[in-house]
Amino acid sequence: MPDPHKPLRDDVRMLGELLGETLRQRGGDALFATVERVRALAKSGRAGDQREIESLASLLHELPVEAAVPVARAFSHFLTLANIAEQHHRIRRRRAYQQDPAARPQPGSCDEVFARLIEDGVEPDALYGAVVSLRIELVLTAHPTEITRRTLVYKQLRIAEALAQLDRPDLTTPERGELMEALRREITATWQTEEIRPERPTPVDEVIGGLLIFEQTLWDALPRYLRTMDAALRRTTGRGLPLDAAPIRFGSWIGGDRDGNPHVTPDVTRLACIVSRWMAADLYEGELDALRLELSMTECTPELRARAEGAREPYRAVLRVARDRLRATRDRLGRALTAGMAEQRFVIDRRASSPEEDRLGARQPADDAEVYENIDDFVEPLRLCYASLVETGQKIIAGGRLTDILRRTAAFGLTLVRLDLRQHASRHAAAIDAITTHLGLGTFSDWGEGRRQAFLVSALHDRLEVPPGLVADDQTRDVLETFKAAAAIHTESLGAYVVSMTRSPSDVLAVALLQQQAGARLRIVPLFEEVETLRSAPATMRALFERPVYRDRIAGRQEVMIGYSDSAKDGGRLTANWELYKAQEAIVDVCRAANVELTLFHGRGGSVGRGGGPTYLAIQSQPPGSLNGRIRVTEQGEMIQAQFGLPEIAGRTLEVYTTATLAATLTPAQPALSEWREAMDRLAEVARTAYRTVVYETREFIPYFRTATPEQELAAMPIGSRPARRPKKGEDEGVESLRAIPWVFAWTQTRLLLPSWLGVGEALASAFDRGERDLIARMYRDWPFFRSTLGLIEMVLAKADAHIAAQYDRQLVPEDLMPVGADLRRRLDTTIGTLLQASGSDRLIAHNPVLRRSIDVRNPYVDPINLVQIELLRRLRESDDVDSQLWHAFMVTVNGIAAGMRNTG
């Protein structure tokens, strides 16, 4: 049987050879020889020759910065090219399945899952109803450690497109030669392009960058995927997907998430909403132009003829009016952008200089046309055209571009995304402080929880109005102005209001009061993040539901967000997973008892340490009954590109989200046995104690962390608008004030990956010592939650490298802190050993040979970048002045390691 992964190896080899040509041409034979020498030493070291690793470290130590940086860049570029090849191979494998889906549907595809559900006893009508009622929302968020410049992303996309073209079986020899030349050009252009941003992005930059993924892939990938779902649904149930069904929708935090980010102001939020509406109008206008070209037919219903006022080509006449209204809408929004902020000219200029066509420059003003305010107004003429085509026997035409546009309107509306707002609970309490002080009632924050709730409920019931002249500091004014801005923004542009660090009912009621006073009406979503607040979350929600003023407000629907990042930073990954699982179960029970429809919002990150991992596995391991066809999930920074950057990958991502949610809804896992739950309680308690003993109670840990990792240097990099730390509470700040993303990022760079596994080894070892080895084996075999939790940790352990982490210690850590590092590496070895015992395997991820090989291939290329980074950190820290060359070189290594590890934070 032919090896299905040989094409991937061939692609990686070819790209590596082209990179080698570039190194020779642009850096000379000396650079190429050095790179080859480093690669040989790294491979020998990986094969077990420790002397070669020492030789490699010595070689890189002796290189001057100007010689070391090109070496690090070379390995970084190779890893990026390998990533592109792997992404393309995923598409290649997906297409192989699609060539004969009936014989061998791809696991997790609509065909495979729908058929399996029917075989499992789900009635076709039940399957159809569940598919139609799916409500999945993917929420894009900015990433404080997103590395790759968008300029380079576009070059990488062109490399991927060339690889796809090379797979064509009918390529002629000249065509193949042209594609190889195109690859050489792109690889050379990438090598010649500066990979480091010159300055930190603003929130508006992040808004624009986040929305470009719609233009890049999602605009076309979504309707294409819905066609796939429609076809599979017809094959399985005999009925197709309704045009107004929107199983997948999109939200955003970019420009609305102000928790700890002083740069996200009310003006930024307004501009974020304008940008998304402008882009939607622009994209829809292009679709209507194309649709008008297609709908040249003359036969129509009397209703459409009347609307077209007797025009010879009625469809074109009706659509011309809609097109002109879109143009007027886009133009008005464009003027609002340029008037609102000078930087927004980038949005207009970017499209005007599009290589495809100068679409803006070619358009005529449409000032006399009425603008679109609501999606229903836009949909109405499209529906009229659709009905006319169907009624006049032209359904096949209606099923083309017009169907795709209608499906886009259901998913994207007129805004592409609905923007969530987020703020820390303490900021709302400070705003209420200002109000109670102004009214002569004292300081709200000093009151007990009972008095707080009583005041807020009374104020909500009586519709308390605050007289003018409220005295407030800048932060409080920002909070109040944000609510006023929300009241003025179009309701279709806004989603939820997320309350970070919710600890009590008053944290939610305070937002309800502030919204009421401003005239805003966003659904309020409490975010439970740390272990203790997860444990108290059910009581918090129960108390809220007992308040009639709150019950009236939510109208039987409640959204609750659970945070994976801070819970793991607080208690470790294993404990956090279990607390999240139990909290979801309890919140589901509370909502069911209160007859409230629940939607859980999962604040997952890209890395396992922050709740990331394979989507299907993560959804399938949720508590039974916690989904019910509804879920919201964050997609963060770097993962947006990884999950949606290529059209076929985007389609697969959308498919996996829907099929996993559907399967978990219709065939939920059986509830965990009480014996398993008790064992998990013991594991979690031991894991949390071990984790907190190291991270929070070991006096030397913070000094060690700051010397052994590049945490402090990462905070100064221009890679995100949000500060790396929350506002200082004192000079002695530790892990508490550090945000979860850079916390994970720092350990990823050193490849110790500590946040994802610390505490797990001690927990499993304690279970084995209690004679629970067989119990753990049964839990791993039969409990999806436990198996997925350990499986994700196993993936991290396969990427971790104690030897590289030790190199950081040798060069950067003072002698008195060295025992901390030695202890952590010992704990890592223990964790690997105990996890292998639990899984019954003799090697990490032995069940996934593709991933195993990918890691093994990457390691010799990541190792040299780590060693260069260590040397650069040593020199940076020994230098009295800021050396721009050293600093730039360090940032190059950060890029390279992130590419090799496939994530940052």
Side-chain angles (χ1 to χ4, degrees):
M1 181 177 179
D3 181 0
H5 305 298
K6 182 179 182 298
L8 170 60
R9 293 197 297 274
D10 292 342
D11 283 347
V12 172
R13 185 182 304 109
M14 174 194 61
L15 292 172
E17 290 171 354
L18 294 177
L19 176 61
E21 290 180 15
T22 299
L23 296 181
R24 276 201 173 102
Q25 292 168 0
R26 304 306 308 171
D29 290 338
L31 171 61
F32 180 78
T34 301
V35 168
E36 286 297 293
R37 171 64 176 153
V38 168
R39 185 164 70 95
L41 290 172
K43 283 194 169 185
S44 297
R46 278 284 157 184
D49 191 340
Q50 189 60 33
R51 292 173 302 175
E52 298 285 60
I53 288 289
E54 298 299 331
S55 298
L56 176 58
S58 298
L59 170 62
L60 295 173
H61 175 78
E62 293 168 2
L63 284 178
V65 174
E66 59 271 17
V69 171
V71 173
R73 288 190 72 218
F75 284 94
S76 174
H77 279 248
F78 175 81
L79 291 165
T80 298
L81 292 172
N83 291 344
I84 296 169
E86 288 184 1
Q87 287 280 77
H88 174 62
H89 191 59
R90 283 184 60 195
I91 296 169
R92 182 187 285 128
R93 297 293 298 150
R94 177 170 170 78
R95 293 177 67 83
Y97 279 112
Q98 291 174 334
Q99 286 175 352
D100 189 6
R104 187 182 55 158
Q106 185 175 16
S109 67
C110 290
D111 279 314
E112 188 269 333
V113 172
F114 291 0
R116 173 159 47 87
L117 289 171
I118 295 295
E119 290 175 4
D120 289 344
V122 176
E123 293 294 328
D125 285 348
L127 173 61
Y128 179 83
V131 170
V132 169
S133 61
L134 279 172
R135 291 294 180 269
I136 301 164
E137 187 169 354
L138 308 181
V139 182
L140 312 184
T141 72
H143 199 308
T145 56
E146 188 175 8
I147 290 295
T148 308
R149 286 182 64 201
R150 191 152 300 277
T151 296
L152 289 172
V153 168
Y154 284 133
K155 296 182 188 303
Q156 293 164 14
L157 289 174
R158 288 192 288 272
I159 292 171
E161 290 166 2
L163 287 179
Q165 289 295 312
L166 283 170
D167 277 351
R168 284 181 49 189
D170 62 341
L171 271 183
T172 65
T173 299
E175 287 173 336
R176 184 172 296 278
E178 289 172 6
L179 285 170
M180 293 300 293
E181 280 303 298
L183 280 173
R184 287 187 178 91
R185 279 194 297 273
E186 292 300 339
I187 291 172
T188 302
T190 301
W191 178 260
Q192 293 297 108
T193 299
E194 178 61 67
E195 55 261 87
I196 305 300
R197 291 189 183 97
E199 56 189 21
R200 189 178 292 275
T202 69
V204 175
D205 293 329
E206 292 175 331
V207 169
I208 296 166
L211 290 176
L212 287 178
I213 199 68
F214 290 92
E215 184 181 61
Q216 180 180 318
T217 57
L218 285 173
W219 185 253
D220 292 322
L222 180 84
R224 188 179 300 127
Y225 165 60
L226 293 180
R227 285 183 176 278
T228 300
M229 175 186 278
D230 175 77
L233 199 59
R234 290 180 188 276
R235 284 191 288 270
T236 310
T237 70
R239 289 187 285 174
L241 189 70
L243 289 179
D244 60 354
I248 297 272
R249 302 184 190 204
F250 297 90
S252 176
W253 278 15
I254 313 175
D257 180 10
R258 58 229 323 118
D259 177 14
N261 191 344
H263 308 297
V264 178
T265 64
D267 283 340
V268 167
T269 296
R270 279 188 286 264
L271 289 168
C273 293
I274 294 173
V275 170
S276 65
R277 291 180 76 89
W278 182 91
M279 186 174 285
D282 193 56
L283 289 168
Y284 278 124
E285 186 191 343
E287 292 297 330
L288 285 197
D289 278 337
L291 185 62
R292 288 184 68 241
L293 289 175
E294 293 178 7
L295 300 190
S296 56
M297 55 287 306
T298 58
E299 186 179 3
C300 67
T301 59
E303 292 82 2
L304 185 67
R305 181 77 63 189
R307 177 71 63 86
E309 298 180 344
R312 184 174 59 86
E313 295 178 328
Y315 297 96
R316 285 179 167 177
V318 169
L319 292 174
R320 182 177 61 250
V321 175
R323 190 277 316 274
D324 288 347
R325 290 187 67 180
L326 276 173
R327 182 174 294 175
T329 303
R330 183 214 65 224
D331 290 348
R332 189 181 76 171
L333 291 166
R335 290 191 294 272
L337 285 177
T338 55
M341 198 172 188
E343 291 92 326
Q344 291 317 293
R345 291 188 181 277
F346 170 75
V347 182
I348 305 299
D349 292 345
R350 176 189 61 80
R351 297 302 297 272
S353 61
S354 168
E356 291 83 11
E357 59 175 326
D358 184 353
R359 287 189 277 174
L360 285 171
R363 292 165 174 149
Q364 298 298 317
D367 293 339
D368 58 337
E370 184 182 0
V371 302
Y372 280 121
E373 294 287 353
N374 302 299
I375 187 62
D376 290 343
D377 291 341
F378 176 52
V379 169
E380 189 272 336
L382 300 177
R383 282 281 188 179
L384 185 65
C385 290
Y386 185 90
S388 176
L389 289 168
V390 172
E391 289 176 30
T392 55
Q394 303 174 86
K395 187 174 183 180
I396 189 170
I397 298 173
R401 186 182 297 272
L402 179 54
T403 287
D404 287 347
I405 296 174
L406 285 168
R407 284 183 169 149
R408 287 187 181 102
T409 64
F412 298 133
L414 280 177
T415 65
L416 292 183
V417 297
R418 286 179 176 263
L419 183 68
D420 286 359
L421 308 185
R422 182 172 78 133
Q423 183 56 279
H424 198 284
S426 64
R427 295 287 294 276
H428 306 130
I432 303 294
D433 281 348
I435 293 172
T436 57
T437 301
H438 182 76
L439 296 174
L441 300 177
T443 304
F444 173 82
S445 297
D446 293 339
W447 301 347
E449 177 63 17
R451 186 180 175 187
R452 290 188 191 189
Q453 289 189 46
F455 166 75
L456 294 168
V457 168
S458 175
L460 284 165
H461 183 271
D462 298 338
R463 305 193 68 82
L464 174 70
E465 292 187 10
V466 179
L470 181 70
V471 178
D473 59 21
D474 290 344
Q475 287 192 344
T476 298
R477 276 195 297 272
D478 178 78
V479 170
L480 298 175
E481 288 299 320
T482 296
F483 284 107
K484 290 179 183 177
I489 292 171
H490 198 292
T491 55
E492 288 184 3
S493 289
L494 296 176
Y497 193 101
V498 179
V499 187
S500 292
M501 291 295 175
T502 299
R503 290 187 168 88
S504 59
S506 65
D507 291 332
V508 177
L509 295 172
V511 174
L513 179 59
L514 292 170
Q515 284 200 26
Q516 184 187 84
Q517 291 183 335
R521 189 73 179 183
L522 286 75
R523 67 185 187 274
I524 304 172
V525 179
L527 168 52
F528 300 103
E529 302 178 71
E530 296 175 334
V531 171
E532 292 305 322
T533 55
L534 285 168
R535 291 173 176 173
S536 63
T540 296
M541 299 313 304
R542 189 179 298 110
L544 285 169
F545 296 153
E546 290 171 354
R547 299 288 188 177
V549 69
Y550 186 76
R551 285 295 297 260
D552 291 344
R553 190 185 195 286
I554 64 173
R557 292 184 176 88
Q558 178 67 56
E559 185 176 320
V560 174
M561 184 172 184
I562 53 173
Y564 289 71
S565 299
D566 282 292
S567 57
K569 184 162 73 77
D570 179 39
R573 182 74 272 152
L574 183 68
T575 303
N577 271 21
W578 181 229
E579 293 296 340
L580 288 161
Y581 187 96
K582 292 191 297 182
Q584 290 178 73
E585 285 183 318
I587 292 169
V588 167
D589 290 343
V590 168
C591 289
R592 186 181 293 118
N595 197 29
V596 171
E597 183 181 276
L598 171 67
T599 298
L600 283 167
F601 184 4
H602 298 261
R604 300 173 64 214
S607 64
V608 171
R610 300 184 49 250
T615 298
Y616 201 94
L617 188 63
I619 291 177
Q620 286 292 298
S621 63
Q622 298 304 310
S626 65
L627 293 179
N628 201 24
R630 297 182 300 276
I631 189 174
R632 293 186 91 210
V633 183
T634 53
E635 288 287 354
Q636 296 196 343
E638 62 181 13
M639 297 308 298
I640 295 173
Q641 194 62 41
Q643 297 274 58
F644 305 108
L646 297 174
E648 295 86 350
I649 296 292
R652 176 59 173 169
T653 299
L654 299 177
E655 182 172 58
V656 169
Y657 265 113
T658 52
T659 57
T661 302
L662 187 68
T665 297
L666 293 175
T667 56
Q670 293 300 310
L673 300 176
S674 58
E675 181 184 27
W676 297 351
R677 300 178 67 89
E678 291 166 4
M680 195 65 220
D681 281 335
R682 293 190 293 271
L683 290 170
E685 185 58 36
V686 174
R688 188 183 190 212
T689 298
Y691 177 90
R692 291 191 66 87
T693 296
V694 171
V695 175
Y696 290 92
E697 298 172 17
T698 300
R699 182 175 55 84
E700 299 84 4
F701 179 78
I702 295 301
Y704 170 80
F705 169 57
R706 289 183 175 159
T707 55
T709 76
E711 179 257 336
Q712 297 178 86
E713 290 80 9
L714 292 172
M717 286 182 66
I719 53 175
S721 72
R722 183 191 299 277
R725 290 183 176 271
R726 289 192 168 92
K728 292 184 178 181
K729 299 178 182 178
E731 290 303 317
D732 222 8
E733 60 185 41
V735 175
E736 295 89 345
S737 65
L738 184 68
R739 292 190 174 278
I741 296 173
W743 161 246
V744 174
F745 191 9
W747 292 110
T748 302
Q749 286 286 298
T750 69
R751 294 165 68 186
L752 193 60
L753 299 162
L754 177 138
S756 300
W757 56 262
L758 183 61
V760 176
E762 292 83 352
L764 291 173
S766 70
F768 297 157
D769 291 343
R770 289 190 299 270
E772 296 175 350
R773 191 180 302 271
D774 291 342
L775 173 60
I776 295 297
R778 289 197 302 275
M779 291 165 62
Y780 186 87
R781 184 185 66 234
D782 299 332
W783 190 10
F785 162 77
F786 189 67
R787 184 170 59 253
S788 70
T789 297
L790 291 194
L792 292 172
I793 293 169
E794 183 180 4
M795 287 171 54
V796 172
L797 294 173
K799 289 185 175 184
D801 193 295
H803 296 295
I804 292 295
Q807 292 287 344
Y808 280 81
D809 281 15
R810 292 190 189 102
Q811 296 293 328
L812 304 174
V813 175
E815 189 69 31
D816 61 321
L817 298 177
M818 295 283 275
V820 178
D823 177 61
L824 294 178
R825 293 191 294 276
R826 178 189 59 77
R827 291 173 185 265
L828 173 62
D829 288 342
T830 298
T831 304
I832 293 172
T834 55
L835 193 141
L836 289 174
Q837 292 180 57
S839 66
S841 180
D842 58 358
R843 191 186 185 199
L844 292 172
I845 58 171
H847 61 285
N848 191 339
V850 175
L851 178 59
R852 178 73 264 173
R853 184 182 182 281
S854 175
I855 293 172
D856 291 344
V857 167
R858 288 167 184 278
N859 280 335
Y861 294 89
V862 187
D863 293 349
I865 309 176
N866 279 114
L867 296 175
V868 172
Q869 183 180 91
I870 292 167
E871 180 60 24
L872 293 170
L873 284 170
R874 186 186 65 78
R875 297 184 194 184
L876 278 169
R877 293 174 183 180
E878 290 177 354
S879 176
D880 294 331
D881 301 318
V882 177
D883 187 318
S884 59
Q885 187 180 27
L886 279 175
W887 184 248
H888 178 271
F890 164 72
M891 290 192 284
V892 168
T893 65
V894 172
N895 272 338
I897 296 168
M901 300 300 288
R902 296 302 301 269
N903 61 56
T904 56

